[in-house]
């Protein structure tokens, strides 16, 4: 239940270095307008790059990759506070949207 | 009385191209990258349009989101009648037969004068790997964001109806006229980007975004398309 919280999505994509964090309009994926720390922003970009270039698509590797991403998403939720709801599109053994 | 499905779909979407309107709209779009209203002739020619998208080439997408579009009765409930998939055959291919290779639209990529045809296909999204291509892959991860791009407009549908029409228009323009064009040799893909300017129903400028499209150079198909705020390739 997110109520009237601002929903922020984490979605990995194929563009290495892209920030896979999406705020609603008018922020969207413009990091300069996000209430997110530079360190976490860079961690997300690095994580997305690893996924975009990932050759090892074994189930274990995918699970580990998304476990790391989920950890970043939890950190994002903590940074943003209770006005926001963070949800992430997972893959691997527990796929689908996961609301934190 | 309901209008025929296909006729309604076609009337709901107008892409202005190869006409006098294109020339005038190109002037309005390219001379003033932001702030100026859309050419009045373009607006007058599309009285039912709810919003306009303009590419650097001068191509204009005018969308009438108010027109009801209904899919076949077999359409899945969680897919909101995408106008891009505007005939029952395409619908069945994408949602019943799950034919991942079924072509929805074709776009031209001009590589050193040698055009390649890049297709947006029904595609698939593998929830186990997070990978895929085409409409289903884009829908899985980025449909919300495309819808919000439309909802962001003061005259846009709050639900973002017509999201995949905007997405396909962007694919066509960004692939044909990229401002950013980056090869990704590791897996035979290219990432292209170009600005898209958005206008309300009166032709007033509202915002510009910088979508990024990734397509396969070997497979010749769109892998993903995202409505990013800045060039991300």
């Amino acid at each position: 239940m997110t109520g009237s919280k601002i929903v922020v999505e984490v979605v990995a994509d194929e563009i290495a270095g892209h920030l896979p964090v999406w705020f609603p309009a008018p922020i969207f994926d413009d990091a300069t307008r996000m209430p997110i720390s530079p360190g976490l922003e860079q961690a997300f970009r690095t994580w997305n790059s690893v996924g975009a270039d990932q050759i090892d698509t074994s189930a274990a590797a995918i699970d580990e990759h998304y476990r790391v991403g989920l950890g970043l998403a939890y950190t994002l939720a903590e940074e943003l506070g209770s006005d926001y709801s963070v949800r992430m599109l997972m893959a691997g053994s527990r796929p689908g949207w996961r609301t934190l | 009385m309901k209008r025929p499905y296909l006729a309604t779909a076609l009337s709901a979407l107008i892409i202005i191209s190869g006409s006098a309107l294109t020339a005038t709209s190109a002037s309005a779009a390219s001379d003033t990258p932001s702030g100026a209203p859309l050419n009045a002739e373009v607006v007058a020619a599309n009285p039912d349009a709810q919003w306009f998208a303009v590419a650097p080439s001068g191509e204009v997408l005018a969308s009438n989101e108010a027109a009801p579009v209904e899919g076949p009765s077999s359409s899945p409930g969680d897919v909101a009648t995408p106008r891009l998939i505007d005939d029952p055959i395409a619908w069945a291919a994408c949602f019943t037969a799950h034919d991942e290779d079924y072509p929805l639209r074709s776009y031209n990529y001009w590589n050193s004068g040698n055009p390649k045809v890049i297709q947006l296909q029904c595609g698939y999204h593998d929830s186990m790997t997070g990978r895929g291509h085409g409409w289903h892959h884009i829908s899985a991860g980025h449909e919300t964001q495309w819808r919000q791009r439309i909802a962001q407009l003061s005259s846009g549908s709050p639900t973002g109806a017509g999201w995949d029409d905007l997405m396909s228009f962007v694919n066509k323009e960004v692939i044909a006229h990229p401002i950013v064009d980056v090869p990704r040799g590791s897996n035979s893909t290219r990432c292209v980007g170009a600005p898209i300017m958005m206008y309300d129903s009166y032709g007033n400028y509202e915002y510009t975004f910088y979508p990024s499209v990734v397509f396969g150079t070997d497979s010749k198909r769109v892998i993903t398309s995202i409505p990013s705020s800045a060039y991300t390739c």
Side-chain angles (χ1 to χ4, degrees):
Chain A
M1 180 73 181
T2 58
S4 59
K5 292 184 177 182
I6 300 167
V7 178
V8 179
E9 293 184 341
V10 177
V11 184
D13 58 48
E14 289 84 354
I15 303 172
H18 181 229
L19 179 60
V21 179
W22 294 86
F23 280 67
I27 298 175
F28 279 87
D29 63 341
D30 182 352
T32 64
R33 304 179 70 177
M34 290 183 185
I36 175 175
S37 66
L40 184 56
E41 177 204 330
Q42 188 55 51
F44 266 119
R45 290 187 192 277
T46 301
W47 176 76
N48 199 55
S49 294
V50 170
D53 293 332
Q54 193 167 35
I55 296 174
D56 182 1
T57 54
S58 67
I62 293 167
D63 272 349
E64 173 60 16
H65 180 67
Y66 277 87
R67 186 192 67 77
V68 172
L70 188 60
L72 295 176
Y74 271 112
T75 302
L76 175 63
E78 289 177 8
E79 279 196 5
L80 295 175
S82 58
D83 290 341
Y84 295 82
S85 174
V86 177
R87 68 182 199 137
M88 178 176 174
L89 182 60
M90 297 290 290
S93 57
R94 299 173 66 186
W97 287 102
R98 180 162 173 179
T99 299
L100 280 57
Chain B
M1 180 177 172
K2 293 178 180 175
R3 300 164 66 183
Y5 167 62
L6 182 57
T8 305
L10 292 175
S11 67
L13 175 67
I14 305 164
I15 297 177
I16 305 162
S17 140
S19 68
L21 289 178
T22 302
T24 51
S25 63
S27 175
S30 59
D31 291 349
T32 53
S34 65
L38 193 59
N39 185 286
E41 289 182 48
V42 175
V43 178
N46 298 279
D48 296 329
Q50 300 300 299
W51 49 266
F52 299 87
V54 181
S57 68
E59 290 280 312
V60 178
L61 172 68
S63 179
N64 179 0
E65 298 158 2
V69 179
E70 295 184 6
S73 58
S74 61
S75 60
D78 61 345
V79 179
T81 61
R83 291 174 188 148
L84 174 69
I85 305 172
D86 56 4
D87 69 77
I89 296 174
W91 192 283
C94 282
F95 301 112
T96 303
H98 300 290
D99 178 358
E100 72 167 274
D101 297 327
Y102 187 89
L104 295 172
R105 292 291 186 274
S106 295
Y107 317 115
N108 290 320
Y109 174 67
W110 302 92
N111 182 15
S112 303
N114 299 315
K116 283 184 179 179
V117 176
I118 309 298
Q119 290 183 333
L120 174 68
Q121 301 172 336
C122 290
Y124 72 96
H125 178 76
D126 184 340
S127 61
M128 295 299 291
T129 64
R131 298 182 183 226
H133 72 92
W135 191 95
H136 281 295
H137 186 53
I138 296 166
S139 171
H142 301 292
E143 178 175 334
T144 301
Q145 297 125 33
W146 279 108
R147 286 182 179 277
Q148 288 181 347
R149 278 294 179 208
I150 293 172
Q152 183 182 2
L153 290 158
S154 60
S155 60
S157 157
T159 64
W163 73 272
D164 54 2
D165 294 325
L166 176 61
M167 179 267 290
S168 181
F169 171 77
V170 163
N171 293 348
K172 176 173 73 76
E173 289 300 313
V174 169
I175 289 172
H177 308 285
I179 303 297
V180 174
D181 184 350
V182 180
R184 299 179 66 230
S186 60
N187 55 0
S188 300
T189 61
R190 296 191 81 90
C191 181
V192 290
I196 299 292
M197 292 180 289
M198 301 297 290
Y199 298 80
D200 70 10
S201 58
Y202 299 103
N204 296 315
Y205 171 81
E206 294 217 350
Y207 67 89
T208 298
F209 68 111
Y210 301 82
S212 305
V213 179
V214 177
F215 63 90
T217 51
D218 293 338
S219 64
K220 297 182 176 62
R221 61 193 185 193
V222 173
I223 296 168
T224 194
S225 178
I226 66 172
S228 34
S229 302
Y231 294 128
T232 57
C233 293

